[in-house]
Amino acid sequence: MIYQIYPRSFQDSNGDGIGDLAGIEARLDYISRLGVDAIWLSPIFPSPMADFGYDVADYCSIEPIFGDLAQFDRLLAAVHARGLKLLLDFVPNHTSDRHPWFVESRSSRQAPKRDWYIWRDAAPGGRPPNNWISDFGGSSWEWDEETEQYYLHAFLKEQPDLNWRNPEVREAMSDVLRFWLDRGVDGFRIDVLWHIVKHQAFPDNPLNPHWTADTRERDKLLQVHSTDQPEAHTYSSDMRRLADSYGDRVLVGEIFLPNERHARWYGTPEHPQVHMPFNFQLIESAWDAAVLGRVITEYEASLPAGGWPNWVLGSHDAPRIAARIGEAQARIAAMLLLTLRGTPTLYQGDELGIGEVPIPDDRMRDPQHFREPERGIGRDRSRTPMPWDKSANAGFSTAEPWLPLNPDWPQRNVSEQEADARSLLQFYRQLLGLRREHLALSIGSFELIHSINDTLVFRRTYEGEELVVALNLGSEPRLCEFPGWERTDAVLASVLGAGMFTGTLQPDEGLILQLRPGH
Ligand code: GLC
């Protein structure tokens, strides 16, 4: 399992209210006890923080708020000493507008690095070169008064897009990967990988016929020409070749696309691309047994031969799972995440069941909120600090944290849940332990038994061991029987903590059952 840390909000060690690398190092035992395999850190590089680190001003250094390279090396060694892996966040699509490359690029039309970014003349009447819309709303093009051209930014105007068609850019970005791989990192999560190349002729994107005014402005258009270009696949197989030349390293790509196009990011056996294109379908789908049954089957069917699946339940960009489906179902979600075939990714704090965190207007920080305030899409509520214990500021910091804590932090914190055998945290640990013990749960084959009437039931099989996972996604008791079921089958785990199965799933109940040999 991959555990995502949002460094600003994990643990502060120097009393500025913002998390840092020394803080993460101090909490490594917690992560190790949880039973995960790898940690992915959201960006820790120097940044003006217009998009909280996803605007990188220097790819080969550490943001002073978080520490320095020596501290990073200590953290990496401490991670490795615990047998864990460390993945960094590689942000290839764009830099900060304060990155020296962009400062040079915008200095004049003749600047040697002019073509490192995407500059275009205005359309007639001074309009932007095409209709592309930034993911944060508004045109993707920003006018530069000095040099009288527009530059492209798929996100904020403070995040100009790099021109990946330029071989010098590709070489510079390969150097970035080498810099960290040489230091010993185990791989990367690659930010918005499907965005890195745009159609060479910059045609208008087509209108999205399904767009409605209550959804994000970005979705007015289908991003047909601004994303998922063939060359991006070529460049991602270049990244893979580079990573493979270091041996056992992993690349995870952030990719939001429908199954068929998503699956292409695995590449082919001759030209592999990322090991795992992140699969966000548990986040994006309605929490409904029939829907999830279909999503799981279609995703499994879409995987290329040898393509290893993965499932993501939360992130710093998505609403908290417990806020979305409620606390009782968050336990079902934990069981689902850890019993599906493929690598699970868990976002910090979801193991505590942190739910909705109201953020007062004057505490909001996320630029996505400020660009489209009326839509309620601010991401601050999933970026709040980890509550560790009952001490001041939940043990996160000696100072007021940069974002408010979850309001129930005096009860919902790591130390309380460590002391309570029935807590969600302990349930995550139990599930992770079971997943290690029973290979059927991690690498076993997957077979959907049924997904109707609020119940999602599937079988995992490996070398003679058969485990059945039965989940009730509703609030009514549900009969749950199928051929081969035996009443005395052992219950390995239950979200309600009972441990008997009588043929009925209680409301919000989930079970992992071991079918007896020869059933
Ligand atoms: C990714 C990140 C998100 C960021 C965006 C632009 O989607 O996860 O936080 O805002 O890329 O870099």
Side-chain angles (χ1 to χ4, degrees):
M1 178 161 97
I2 301 175
Y3 184 76
Q4 182 192 353
I5 291 186
Y6 194 67
R8 292 182 72 86
S9 294
F10 199 61
Q11 175 67 55
D12 177 19
S13 74
N14 62 355
D16 62 0
I18 302 176
D20 48 45
L21 298 187
I24 296 171
E25 190 185 340
R27 294 294 186 186
L28 282 182
D29 285 339
Y30 167 75
I31 299 170
S32 185
R33 277 202 305 279
L34 194 53
V36 309
D37 305 285
I39 299 167
W40 146 39
L41 299 181
S42 277
I44 51 172
F45 317 108
S47 166
M49 299 286 164
D51 191 19
F52 294 105
Y54 286 93
D55 47 327
V56 178
D58 177 357
Y59 287 102
C60 298
S61 186
I62 301 290
E63 161 63 40
I65 291 177
F66 297 136
D68 56 23
L69 278 171
Q71 177 58 58
F72 174 78
D73 290 340
R74 280 197 295 279
L75 173 63
L76 181 60
V79 167
H80 285 164
R82 285 167 178 78
L84 301 171
K85 308 273 188 203
L86 189 69
L87 312 186
L88 292 185
D89 209 315
F90 178 51
V91 187
N93 180 67
H94 44 266
T95 67
S96 161
D97 61 345
R98 315 256 188 95
H99 194 295
W101 298 344
F102 188 70
V103 172
E104 180 183 333
S105 182
R106 83 183 308 172
S107 67
S108 98
R109 289 199 190 193
Q110 285 72 44
K113 288 200 171 59
R114 182 67 169 181
D115 184 52
W116 280 41
Y117 293 82
I118 299 172
W119 293 96
R120 284 287 169 285
D121 290 335
R127 284 178 296 108
N130 66 23
N131 71 349
W132 295 0
I133 296 175
S134 143
D135 273 37
F136 290 142
S139 171
S140 290
W141 297 94
E142 180 70 12
W143 180 248
D144 180 58
E145 287 293 346
E146 288 286 309
T147 59
E148 301 193 312
Q149 277 191 318
Y150 280 97
Y151 67 85
L152 183 74
H153 58 92
F155 295 88
L156 298 174
K157 67 177 174 17
E158 292 84 1
Q159 295 168 294
D161 281 32
L162 281 161
N163 176 14
W164 271 75
R165 292 181 185 275
N166 183 327
E168 288 174 15
V169 168
R170 300 203 296 276
E171 198 40 47
M173 294 309 263
S174 294
D175 286 344
V176 171
L177 294 175
R178 287 190 200 100
F179 177 86
W180 294 107
L181 290 166
D182 285 338
R183 277 196 122 77
V185 309
D186 301 290
F188 301 91
R189 173 265 191 187
I190 309 175
D191 190 61
V192 296
L193 178 59
W194 85 114
H195 268 267
I196 62 173
V197 184
K198 345 285 164 188
H199 192 296
Q200 219 154 4
F202 295 90
D204 277 352
N205 274 329
L207 289 178
N208 174 3
H210 304 296
W211 185 76
T212 51
D214 56 340
T215 53
R216 292 171 65 171
E217 193 188 346
R218 171 197 70 183
D219 298 327
K220 261 186 190 169
L221 303 178
L222 301 171
Q223 296 185 329
V224 176
H225 302 304
S226 49
T227 67
D228 203 24
Q229 300 297 300
E231 295 84 350
H233 289 276
T234 312
Y235 304 152
S236 82
S237 61
D238 293 346
M239 292 179 205
R240 173 64 178 271
R241 210 170 318 111
L242 195 158
D244 283 350
S245 73
Y246 282 80
D248 205 7
R249 309 295 169 106
V250 69
L251 297 182
V252 181
E254 186 196 19
I255 309 278
F256 282 92
L257 286 172
N259 279 334
E260 188 220 337
R261 282 161 68 201
H262 188 265
R264 287 189 216 148
W265 290 87
Y266 284 98
T268 60
E270 304 75 50
H271 298 290
Q273 297 178 35
V274 294
H275 297 84
M276 289 187 280
F278 259 152
N279 165 18
F280 298 106
Q281 297 188 62
L282 292 181
I283 293 178
E284 295 185 310
S285 308
W287 199 251
D288 170 273
V291 171
L292 292 175
R294 195 181 64 239
V295 159
I296 297 165
T297 324
E298 289 178 0
Y299 172 68
E300 282 271 352
S302 75
L303 295 170
W308 178 242
N310 76 90
W311 297 94
V312 183
L313 197 57
S315 81
H316 63 296
D317 293 330
R320 287 274 183 196
I321 181 76
R324 182 161 77 93
I325 64 176
E327 181 155 15
Q329 283 294 314
R331 295 178 81 93
I332 297 283
M335 189 175 265
L336 179 62
L337 177 72
L338 290 168
T339 57
L340 283 172
R341 197 175 78 96
T343 299
T345 297
L346 178 68
Y347 177 55
Q348 70 174 51
D350 279 347
E351 73 274 29
L352 305 175
I354 295 177
E356 192 59 57
V357 184
I359 313 277
D361 281 353
D362 64 342
R363 299 287 309 264
M364 298 224 188
R365 298 285 179 271
D366 179 24
Q368 180 161 290
H369 161 75
F370 292 108
R371 300 277 307 166
E372 296 185 74
E374 66 289 357
R375 296 199 207 277
I377 51 173
R379 300 169 293 181
D380 292 319
R381 56 207 164 128
S382 12
R383 297 176 174 183
T384 59
M386 272 293 276
W388 294 100
D389 54 41
K390 266 199 263 206
S391 65
N393 304 312
F396 165 73
S397 175
T398 52
E400 168 91 2
W402 75 288
L403 281 177
L405 289 155
N406 48 302
D408 53 355
W409 68 268
Q411 300 80 43
R412 190 182 301 282
N413 61 55
V414 169
S415 131
E416 291 288 313
Q417 295 206 9
E418 287 197 318
D420 173 2
R422 301 198 46 191
S423 66
L424 183 57
L425 173 59
Q426 299 289 15
F427 188 52
Y428 263 100
R429 286 186 185 158
Q430 186 196 356
L431 288 169
L432 276 156
L434 279 177
R435 204 177 151 91
R436 268 180 214 287
E437 245 168 77
H438 299 271
L439 289 180
L441 289 177
S442 52
I443 58 177
S445 63
F446 172 91
E447 183 202 348
L448 184 68
I449 295 171
H450 69 243
S451 56
I452 41 160
N453 216 8
D454 289 340
T455 57
L456 182 60
V457 182
F458 52 88
R459 191 194 319 259
R460 303 292 314 276
T461 311
Y462 184 73
E463 289 189 345
E465 184 176 38
E466 282 187 38
L467 300 179
V468 167
V469 180
L471 308 172
N472 185 350
L473 275 67
S475 49
E476 299 290 328
R478 293 290 182 206
L479 272 184
C480 192
E481 283 171 332
F482 64 96
W485 196 282
E486 304 240 358
R487 286 183 169 226
T488 50
D489 288 334
V491 176
L492 289 183
S494 159
V495 306
L496 297 182
M500 275 290 289
F501 181 63
T502 57
T504 301
L505 283 174
Q506 298 308 315
D508 303 309
E509 182 172 40
L511 297 167
I512 303 176
L513 297 156
Q514 195 164 34
L515 297 193
R516 289 185 310 179
H519 67 275

